[in-house]
């Protein structure tokens, strides 16, 4: 069990999002090691490249260390003006992957961006969609976001499917270098209005009141 003083100083450790099958929370040290090993074992097939992050480059240890560095960087660089909330995805205590909710100048623009990866053995079971709903519940119903954004390669069919299923709509394109080629991503947007119209699984957010100051938000008595 985490020492209470740590959650007092870094309240993200007390934030938990629960969906019917999953728990999303900031990983502890032992969780982080397991998540890093999971990523090291692969997040997609070797003949694919669905992300800008080169997940098949280097050794399993290189990929595992990348997960550690990213997580520590997110924690260490947190500010109200630019934050990244990286949460482990767990099912019955077993780590499945990680999801990230990030924003820049959120208090002004009220927009967030989501990202995710799952261990390859946990894909195709609906966990990605369920975890995204958990993140979006936090963003829209508790942080008062106006829109959620994502950028997806056109050949990343799994992520495209999750986004379309949840009501994201086209918002233009972006072009990135993927290795030695230029690739087009669909820029997708989910508005608050669309979110409130869609039917979806239930998600519960616990521990947010203590976190509101680190998001730059004041106290509130309602979730809407």
């Amino acid at each position: 069990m985490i020492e209470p003083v740590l959650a007092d100083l870094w309240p993200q450790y007390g934030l938990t999002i629960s969906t019917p099958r999953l728990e999303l929370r900031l990983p502890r040290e032992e969780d982080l090691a397991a998540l890093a090993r999971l990523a090291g074992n692969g997040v997609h097939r070797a003949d694919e490249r669905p992300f800008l992050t080169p997940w098949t480059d280097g050794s399993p240890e290189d990929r595992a260390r990348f997960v550690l560095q990213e997580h520590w960087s997110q924690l260490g660089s947190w500010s109200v003006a630019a934050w990244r909330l990286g949460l482990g995805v767990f099912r019955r205590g077993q780590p499945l992957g990680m999801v990230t909710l990030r924003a820049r100048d959120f208090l002004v623009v009220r927009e967030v961006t989501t990202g995710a990866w799952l261990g390859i053995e946990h894909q195709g079971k609906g966990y990605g969609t369920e975890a995204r709903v958990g993140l979006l519940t936090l963003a829209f119903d508790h942080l008062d976001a106006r829109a959620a954004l994502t950028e997806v390669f056109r050949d990343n069919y799994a992520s495209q499917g999750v986004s379309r299923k949840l009501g994201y709509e086209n918002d233009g394109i972006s072009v990135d270098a993927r290795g030695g080629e230029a690739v087009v991503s669909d820029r997708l947007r989910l508005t608050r209005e669309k979110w409130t119209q869609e039917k979806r699984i239930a998600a519960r957010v616990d521990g947010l009141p203590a976190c509101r100051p680190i998001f730059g938000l004041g106290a509130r008595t309602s979730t809407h």
Side-chain angles (χ1 to χ4, degrees), residues 53-222:
T53 300
W55 284 109
T56 53
D57 288 359
S59 68
E61 290 75 18
D62 292 330
R63 296 191 289 272
R65 292 188 188 104
F66 173 78
V67 172
L68 299 178
Q69 289 178 308
E70 279 292 290
H71 181 70
W72 291 329
S73 174
Q74 289 173 11
L75 291 180
S77 62
W78 187 290
S79 73
V80 170
W83 48 262
R84 293 181 294 165
L85 179 66
L87 302 177
V89 180
F90 301 89
R91 183 169 189 253
R92 297 174 182 170
Q94 179 186 16
L96 307 183
M98 295 195 75
V99 292
T100 303
L101 187 72
R102 66 182 188 272
R104 184 174 295 275
D105 298 320
F106 179 75
L107 297 179
V108 178
V109 301
R110 294 286 173 167
E111 293 184 347
V112 297
T113 301
T114 61
W117 62 263
L118 294 176
I120 195 166
E121 64 265 41
H122 303 302
Q123 297 172 15
K125 301 175 183 178
Y127 298 141
T129 301
E130 195 166 325
R132 181 93 67 93
V133 169
L135 277 187
L136 294 174
T137 298
L138 171 63
F140 285 119
D141 297 349
H142 296 270
L143 300 181
D144 294 327
R146 296 193 188 107
L149 313 175
T150 190
E151 293 187 6
V152 188
F153 289 147
R154 289 178 169 175
D155 58 2
N156 186 346
Y157 304 114
S159 188
Q160 287 271 1
V162 169
S163 298
R164 305 292 183 180
K165 184 189 305 183
L166 293 176
Y168 284 74
E169 298 175 317
N170 288 334
D171 191 42
I173 65 170
S174 62
V175 181
D176 296 287
R178 184 171 63 179
E181 63 173 338
V183 292
V184 174
S185 294
D186 287 321
R187 195 167 61 237
L188 305 174
R189 174 183 294 266
L190 177 64
T191 64
R192 183 181 182 85
E193 291 72 23
K194 186 76 171 177
W195 167 258
T196 59
Q197 296 167 4
E198 296 291 319
K199 299 179 71 172
R200 58 189 178 275
I201 61 170
R204 189 182 78 237
V205 176
D206 295 307
L208 183 66
C211 294
R212 290 183 64 82
I214 59 115
F215 288 106
L217 304 172
R220 65 186 291 185
T221 58
S222 171

